[in-house]
């Protein structure tokens, strides 16, 4: 139950960790886990939709993930292509504005064009789905500062920086959920995480479902968010 002291949850972000370990526990290659990770992503997004969240952000592929074995990277790219194609087919049914966070220059022209079409086609939707691809928090800040510098700003404010981030269209971040057991945010939403609540679980991403999300949200509402106050 939300008390008078608690603002409603508006924006949740997910670090989807544990696909590879989930597969290895089953004697399967890491790529197998990513397939089931996509299914978990779709189920969680549907639940977030039912919950009425204003913005949802998923850490899908980081700037560092290119260092993984080529076979695994190729499998992730194929899954991404399949998801983008599915989004295009069902775009009129989609309830979210789709925003891709990160530097699209790393992707080929076909992938970039698909991303840009999806972003343009869903511009009028009120709620936001952020998918972080080729994304890094430090890279995002460099990108923002470079934009502001090129615009000729000399006295840069927090508001200026927030407006130059990939997440400029999203409300303030309330909660980061990381699956898989690691206790770090791994270069994810560094600026946005300043006052976000952090929730860590040992559950591997393919096993993370609506019950686990509901438990994380229930935990969120037990915390008193002071934002530097008392």
């Amino acid at each position: 139950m939300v008390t008078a002291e608690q603002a409603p949850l508006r924006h949740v972000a997910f670090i989807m960790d544990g696909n590879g370990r989930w597969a290895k526990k089953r004697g399967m290659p890491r790529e197998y886990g990513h397939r089931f990770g996509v299914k978990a992503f779709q189920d969680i997004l549907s639940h977030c939709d039912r919950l009425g969240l204003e913005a949802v952000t998923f850490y899908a592929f980081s700037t560092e993930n290119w260092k993984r074995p080529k076979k695994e990277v190729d499998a992730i790219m194929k899954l991404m292509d399949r998801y983008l194609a599915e989004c295009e087919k069902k775009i009129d049914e989609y309830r979210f504005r789709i925003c891709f966070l990160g530097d699209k220059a790393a992707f080929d022209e076909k992938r970039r064009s698909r991303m840009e079409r999806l972003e343009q086609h869903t511009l009028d939707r009120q709620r936001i789905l952020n998918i972080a691809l080729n994304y890094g928090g430090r890279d995002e800040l460099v990108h923002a500062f470079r934009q502001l510098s090129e615009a000729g700003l000399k006295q840069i404010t927090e508001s200026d920086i927030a407006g130059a981030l990939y997440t400029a269209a999203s409300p303030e971040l309330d909660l980061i959920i990381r699956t898989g057991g690691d206790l770090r945010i791994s270069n994810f939403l560094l600026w946005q995480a300043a006052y976000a609540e952090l929730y860590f679980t040992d559950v591997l991403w393919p096993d993370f479902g609506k019950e686990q999300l509901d438990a994380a949200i229930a935990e969120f509402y037990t915390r008193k968010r002071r934002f530097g106050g008392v």
Side-chain angles (χ1 to χ4, degrees), residues 211-228:
E211 295 83 6
Q212 287 77 20
L213 176 54
D214 288 342
I217 291 173
E219 166 71 15
F220 171 84
Y221 280 122
T222 68
R223 301 182 186 181
K224 184 175 180 182
R225 305 181 74 196
R226 299 181 180 85
F227 301 100

Side-chain angles (χ1 to χ4, degrees), residues 8-12 48-49 51-57 95-97 125-130 169-172 174:
L9 184 65
R10 301 172 66 200
H11 184 180
V12 179
C48 290
D49 185 13
L51 293 171
L53 294 176
E54 293 179 38
V56 191
T57 301
R95 295 160 61 92
F96 288 91
R97 173 183 173 182
R125 319 274 164 95
Q126 295 301 308
R127 294 155 70 200
I128 296 172
L129 165 61
N130 294 314
S170 299
E172 289 284 339
D174 296 307

Side-chain angles (χ1 to χ4, degrees), residues 21-30 32:
R21 282 173 285 157
W22 185 90
K24 289 182 74 174
K25 284 174 64 177
R26 289 157 177 79
M28 300 297 288
R30 291 176 58 85
Y32 180 79

Side-chain angles (χ1 to χ4, degrees), residues 1 14 20 36 63 78 89 96 148 151 155 171 182 205 224:
M1 182 177 177
F14 297 90
F36 284 85
T63 49
K78 286 181 182 177
K89 287 179 184 176
F96 288 91
L148 296 171
Q155 300 296 323
D182 286 335
W205 178 252
K224 184 175 180 182

Side-chain angles (χ1 to χ4, degrees), residues 181-194:
D182 286 335
L183 307 179
R184 54 181 177 267
I185 60 173
S186 297
N187 198 22
F188 183 50
L189 301 178
L190 298 180
W191 176 276
Q192 299 88 336

Side-chain angles (χ1 to χ4, degrees), residues 31-143:
E31 305 86 73
Y32 180 79
H34 293 302
R35 285 170 45 201
F36 284 85
V38 171
K39 176 65 167 59
F41 158 76
Q42 292 171 321
D43 290 345
I44 289 297
L45 179 60
S46 294
H47 193 49
C48 290
D49 185 13
R50 288 191 292 271
L51 293 171
L53 294 176
E54 293 179 38
V56 191
T57 301
F58 292 91
Y59 203 5
F61 193 84
S62 77
T63 49
E64 291 76 30
N65 286 157
W66 296 106
K67 301 173 187 175
R68 293 186 176 190
K70 184 178 184 302
K71 184 181 177 184
E72 182 177 352
V73 171
D74 288 345
I76 293 170
M77 291 299 116
K78 286 181 182 177
L79 288 170
M80 184 179 86
D81 288 340
R82 192 180 306 165
Y83 179 72
L84 293 175
E86 183 182 329
C87 284
E88 282 191 309
K89 287 179 184 176
K90 299 181 178 179
I91 195 62
D92 291 326
E93 303 170 23
Y94 233 72
R95 295 160 61 92
F96 288 91
R97 173 183 173 182
I98 302 175
C99 299
F100 292 99
L101 315 184
D103 184 1
K104 297 186 186 74
F107 301 109
D108 62 34
E109 186 178 350
K110 185 177 179 181
R111 288 189 182 117
R112 287 199 308 272
S113 295
R114 268 188 165 158
M115 292 181 202
E116 289 163 2
R117 283 198 301 272
L118 288 168
E119 288 180 326
Q120 288 299 315
H121 197 94
T122 58
L123 267 175
D124 61 338
R125 319 274 164 95
Q126 295 301 308
R127 294 155 70 200
I128 296 172
L129 165 61
N130 294 314
I131 302 176
L133 290 167
N134 192 34
Y135 172 89
R138 291 179 176 178
D139 182 72
E140 178 181 31
L141 289 171
V142 171
H143 175 266

